[in-house]
Amino acid sequence: MGWTDKADRVLSAATSSGAFGEAVTLFPADGDAYEIRGVFDDDHREIATEFDTPLSTTGPMLCVRVSALQHDLAVDDELEVRGRRFAVVDIQPDGQGTLELPLNLLEPAGGDE
C-alpha cells in the first residue's frame, strides 16, 4: 500500500469522525434536503491510466461516508458547498465506506459568477 492509499484511508476515517470536513446540504432528486459532512476539494486531480498516455483532469470532488446518507445517492442529486450548488456526476465507492463524488458546478441564478 502506497502513501496515497494510506492518506486516503486516514481522510476517510477522519471524515466519518467529523475531525475533518464541513457542512454540506444535500438535495436529493426525490426527497427533502438535509445536511451531511464531507471533505470538499475544489481542485481535485484525477489521473486516468487506461491509455498509453496519462490523462489528468481537475474538478471539484466531495468525499462522504455512506453512513451519513439518508437515501441512496444518485447521479444528478445536487448539493451546496460554500454557497455554490453542484450536481453529482459520478459515485465512486472506495470499498472502505466512503464515496468519492465528482461534481459539476451548476450555473448560478442569473448566469453570473
Side-chain angles (χ1 to χ4, degrees):
M1 175 184 312
W3 71 269
T4 54
D5 292 328
K6 290 179 183 176
D8 286 343
R9 286 189 177 188
V10 168
L11 284 175
S12 175
T15 301
S16 65
S17 69
F20 291 121
E22 58 193 275
V24 175
T25 303
L26 181 58
F27 298 89
D30 189 21
D32 295 329
Y34 61 95
E35 189 173 285
I36 58 173
R37 293 193 66 78
V39 175
F40 180 68
D41 185 352
D42 202 16
D43 197 23
H44 176 77
R45 177 179 294 247
E46 186 169 323
I47 300 174
T49 57
E50 297 174 16
F51 309 101
D52 292 335
T53 305
L55 172 68
S56 64
T57 62
T58 58
M61 172 82 72
L62 182 73
C63 295
V64 298
R65 296 293 293 173
V66 174
S67 61
L69 301 173
Q70 298 174 10
H71 77 294
D72 289 332
L73 198 63
V75 171
D76 291 333
D77 278 355
E78 295 181 7
L79 49 90
E80 187 174 302
V81 183
R82 301 179 187 170
R84 294 182 295 166
R85 192 84 170 235
F86 297 89
V88 175
V89 296
D90 193 14
I91 301 168
Q92 302 171 353
D94 73 351
Q96 302 297 317
T98 300
L99 300 176
E100 294 180 352
L101 308 174
L103 306 172
N104 186 29
L105 179 64
L106 298 174
E107 287 295 319
D112 60 322
E113 179 170 301

